[in-house]
Amino acid sequence: MKKIAILIFIIFCSCSKEKTKETQKESLKEIPEEASYFKQIKSNDLKLAEPVYGDWLYSHKEKGQTFEQYFVAKHIVPTKEANIIYIRPIGNFNSLQKKQIQLTNEYLEIYFQLKTKTLEPISNDVVPNSARRMMSDHEQLLAGYLLDDVLKEDKPLNTIALMGLSELDLYPKPEWNYVFGLASYHDKVGVTSIYRFQDEKLTSENFNLCLSRLLKTSSHEIGHMFGLHHCITADCVMNGTNSLSETDESTIRLCSVCQRKLNSCIKYDNKKRLTDLEKYFKKNNLTDGLNLMKKDIEIIQ
């Protein structure tokens, strides 16, 4: 009887190994061939410079993510039931800040080629005193509270991603000074603050610089919600950054590999997305983004 049990166990293990091999083979077979679009724009990718002290990659030894790894990994995909990106403003915003939120909405709709809507603002009063503090001369909100107790409870049913935008500074835990943002990718929610993007005060003079920071950060964080890891090979909006100066120096463009990942998840027309982005950057006088899109458009003609 013992011999029979051992034999059954061996057969079971053998079958399991064969099944695993077959599953791996099937996964490899399903990986689509790289389209000519991605091969063409790859020549416009810029290799990342060797990180120096202060850079994200200097202190974070990340492994990166290949297209194949992304394709076989589990991540959210748009469905008929969940296909809208939402922005939830938190706080009291002046006219210039409201304009930035509107432009961020327009940008995310183009960037992800998915319907994007801005919900009605909610008051800072929803955050209790236990989840807020004074830091030097300004107030901060606990980012985790906004995620867990506000945004997760506030998601419309057809949400594919929800991004909270706070007017006040954020902190992740008592021992930290501040954080630009925080996200729960499993729950498809994130929150970021415009406080540090606007160099103390948003004006017409620094409007485009601050907008660029917001566009980079929001597209980066929502990119994570769609399963994209930090890019470590090319200058890409999915690069990790440690500071505003590093964010300012990084590109707003998604590199060819990360574009291929996103396109495998959201089935959009690559050329349409590119021309839509070009029009957006031109309309809003965002020169750096416009020049990058022009280079990609030229190479695919």
Side-chain angles (χ1 to χ4, degrees):
M1 190 71 180
K2 187 176 180 181
K3 289 182 180 179
I4 294 173
I6 292 171
L7 181 61
I8 292 172
F9 176 75
I10 292 171
I11 292 171
F12 174 77
C13 290
S14 177
C15 289
S16 296
K17 288 179 181 178
E18 287 301 317
K19 192 172 182 181
T20 301
K21 288 178 181 178
E22 287 301 316
T23 302
Q24 289 173 344
K25 287 179 182 178
E26 282 300 312
S27 296
L28 289 173
K29 285 179 183 177
E30 293 170 4
I31 293 173
E33 185 179 348
E34 185 178 13
S36 60
Y37 170 84
F38 305 112
K39 292 177 182 178
Q40 289 172 319
I41 66 167
K42 190 174 292 184
S43 61
N44 285 334
D45 289 351
L46 296 177
K47 187 178 179 181
L48 277 181
E50 194 68 26
V52 297
Y53 180 79
D55 288 350
W56 175 269
L57 285 177
Y58 188 88
S59 54
H60 298 80
K61 306 302 180 184
E62 297 188 292
K63 296 180 180 179
Q65 178 192 48
T66 65
F67 173 78
E68 289 75 19
Q69 288 171 330
Y70 174 83
F71 191 80
V72 299
K74 289 183 178 180
H75 51 75
I76 61 170
V77 294
T79 64
K80 289 181 180 180
E81 293 75 29
N83 56 13
I84 298 178
I85 296 171
Y86 284 98
I87 298 172
R88 172 67 84 180
I90 304 166
N92 300 308
F93 299 85
N94 62 36
S95 57
L96 279 179
Q97 292 170 333
K98 289 177 181 177
K99 180 67 174 176
Q100 291 222 331
I101 294 172
Q102 175 195 331
L103 291 174
T104 301
N105 187 311
E106 292 177 17
Y107 182 74
L108 293 176
E109 184 159 304
I110 293 169
Y111 183 94
F112 292 101
Q113 295 287 292
L114 290 172
K115 184 66 179 174
T116 303
K117 296 181 179 180
T118 299
L119 300 166
E120 287 297 313
I122 55 176
S123 170
N124 291 321
D125 293 340
V126 300
V127 182
N129 290 335
S130 59
R132 53 205 305 166
R133 71 181 184 184
M134 290 300 296
M135 172 61 71
S136 183
D137 60 347
H138 66 277
E139 189 174 20
Q140 293 181 311
L141 303 180
L142 183 62
Y145 183 88
L146 290 175
L147 278 186
D148 297 330
D149 296 88
V150 178
L151 296 172
K152 285 183 187 178
E153 304 298 321
D154 190 40
K155 287 192 301 182
L157 291 177
N158 55 1
T159 300
I160 186 70
L162 171 62
M163 174 64 71
L165 282 183
S166 171
E167 56 141 338
L168 297 181
D169 201 18
L170 303 175
Y171 70 101
K173 44 190 176 180
E175 58 268 32
W176 283 50
N177 289 331
Y178 69 91
V179 68
F180 289 125
L182 199 65
S184 172
Y185 306 131
H186 176 267
D187 295 298
K188 303 182 289 188
V189 295
V191 62
T192 190
S193 166
I194 65 171
Y195 180 83
R196 293 180 184 269
F197 295 160
Q198 55 192 18
D199 297 330
E200 295 187 2
K201 184 179 180 181
L202 182 62
T203 66
S204 56
E205 285 74 28
N206 67 6
F207 187 90
N208 278 5
L209 173 61
C210 301
L211 176 62
S212 178
R213 291 167 175 170
L214 183 53
L215 300 183
K216 288 177 182 179
T217 304
S218 56
S219 58
H220 176 106
E221 293 301 333
I222 296 175
H224 280 318
M225 293 183 202
F226 282 102
L228 275 70
H229 291 189
H230 281 151
C231 182
I232 64 170
T233 55
D235 191 15
C236 176
V237 77
M238 290 308 299
N239 297 148
T241 62
N242 261 342
S243 62
L244 269 186
S245 59
E246 193 174 9
T247 298
D248 291 342
E249 291 169 6
S250 68
T251 183
I252 200 168
R253 175 180 178 267
L254 198 62
C255 77
S256 63
V257 177
C258 291
Q259 280 194 51
R260 187 182 174 202
K261 293 174 190 176
L262 190 63
N263 185 235
S264 72
C265 176
I266 309 171
K267 308 297 184 180
Y268 52 71
D269 182 318
N270 288 297
K271 188 171 182 180
K272 177 184 180 298
R273 176 181 180 274
L274 200 55
T275 54
D276 286 349
L277 284 170
E278 181 197 28
K279 290 174 185 174
Y280 175 90
F281 290 132
K282 184 176 182 179
K283 174 185 172 185
N284 294 292
N285 299 311
L286 296 170
T287 310
D288 290 346
L290 176 61
N291 291 336
L292 290 168
M293 297 308 107
K294 281 184 173 179
K295 284 183 180 179
D296 282 349
I297 288 171
E298 285 172 6
I299 208 163
I300 64 170
Q301 299 292 6

